[in-house]
Amino acid sequence: MADQDLGIYGEQLVQNWLIQQGWEILHRRWHCRWGELDLVAQGYNVQGGNLSSPMLAFVEVKTRSRGNWDLDGLLSITPAKQRKLRTTAQLFLTRHPHLVHLPCRLDVALVSCHAGKPKSAKAYVALPDGRRYLILQDYLVNAIGS
């Protein structure tokens, strides 16, 4: 399976998980000349277990196969990548002015590929070969500061 295909399955896994968490997916793979946003979701900020204000989350999904060298994609979020994501998110907002009033955050989802069905995970999905699974390893809220 090509890395791009693996990435598409990883984005789908995170999208489904976000929907289960009560988020609405506004865009998937939104792109402009500055970059791409894997997922743009609208949901509610949770404070003290209670839903508070609506907000936008720009989600960078990093999907990695077994034996990766970069902590399941975490090390690939370099300062340059963070600047690119912030710039792309700002451009998204200029093209969608009806969303500008919402608070925003930049989240990172780390997805990894494993042989065999996981015993426990936040979320997982079987790949078409039926032998490997994608697992949502971690979801980092507001991982990329403004």
Side-chain angles (χ1 to χ4, degrees):
M1 175 178 296
D3 288 344
Q4 183 178 6
D5 294 337
L6 197 62
I8 291 169
Y9 283 109
E11 289 170 5
Q12 186 65 50
L13 170 64
V14 175
Q15 175 178 316
N16 292 345
W17 181 77
L18 283 168
I19 290 169
Q20 289 174 352
Q21 303 303 307
W23 290 78
E24 176 186 358
I25 305 302
L26 302 179
H27 291 277
R28 182 166 171 193
R29 298 187 134 205
W30 185 89
H31 64 276
C32 66
R33 67 182 255 200
W34 297 109
E36 180 179 276
L37 299 169
D38 294 333
L39 298 170
V40 179
Q42 183 175 354
Y44 286 89
N45 199 13
V46 178
Q47 293 179 346
N50 297 318
L51 297 178
S52 62
S53 61
M55 69 178 323
L56 283 181
F58 300 101
V59 184
E60 176 71 6
V61 180
K62 291 298 182 187
T63 304
R64 295 294 188 262
S65 58
R66 292 182 306 155
N68 66 78
W69 56 269
D70 64 353
L71 295 177
D72 293 326
L74 187 60
L75 295 178
S76 69
I77 310 290
T78 63
K81 177 69 172 176
Q82 292 177 34
R83 282 190 300 277
K84 187 174 182 179
L85 288 168
R86 281 193 291 272
T87 300
T88 305
Q90 289 169 346
L91 189 54
F92 174 88
L93 291 171
T94 62
R95 296 205 181 148
H96 297 87
H98 62 286
L99 299 172
V100 170
H101 70 284
L102 295 174
C104 300
R105 68 185 199 207
L106 288 158
D107 298 350
V108 174
L110 302 175
V111 177
S112 60
C113 185
H114 297 269
K117 190 172 183 178
K119 292 183 173 112
S120 66
K122 290 179 193 211
Y124 67 91
V125 66
L127 291 172
D129 66 14
R131 297 185 318 261
R132 296 178 301 155
Y133 290 79
L134 288 182
I135 299 170
L136 177 57
Q137 289 292 119
D138 208 352
Y139 189 88
L140 306 169
V141 174
N142 207 23
I144 302 170
S146 51

